[in-house]
Amino acid sequence: AHVLRPGLVETKQRNVEIECDSELCRGRTVVDLWRRTEREPNAHIAVDIDADGFLELLIERLSTFP
């Protein structure tokens, strides 16, 4: 995964699918967070963030706008 500031977001590789068959859940994004299925990981998902670092980066970036 590529982020502006390495270490800001912790990611894990997990399987992500879009539910297409269910009437009640059609369109829902389903992530196998605990790897309970046999499906191969196909995406990096964010599982944690450095909140202080994120806020610092946000303020830094917003301060560049006129």
Side-chain angles (χ1 to χ4, degrees):
H2 300 284
V3 294
L4 184 59
R5 202 170 274 173
L8 190 63
V9 177
E10 178 188 348
T11 64
K12 293 185 178 185
Q13 284 192 294
R14 295 294 185 261
N15 183 270
V16 178
E17 303 288 335
I18 306 301
E19 179 58 55
C20 296
D21 298 323
S22 170
E23 254 186 65
L24 295 175
C25 300
R26 188 175 302 133
R28 177 175 281 178
T29 302
V30 181
V31 179
D32 183 10
L33 188 57
W34 296 282
R35 303 190 81 174
R36 292 183 177 162
T37 69
E38 299 289 322
R39 295 178 178 158
E40 287 294 315
N42 61 359
H44 289 271
I45 62 163
V47 293
D48 199 11
I49 188 167
D50 172 359
D52 292 334
F54 174 80
L55 186 56
E56 178 184 306
L57 179 61
L58 179 63
I59 291 169
E60 175 188 309
R61 294 298 171 185
L62 289 175
S63 70
T64 65
F65 287 103

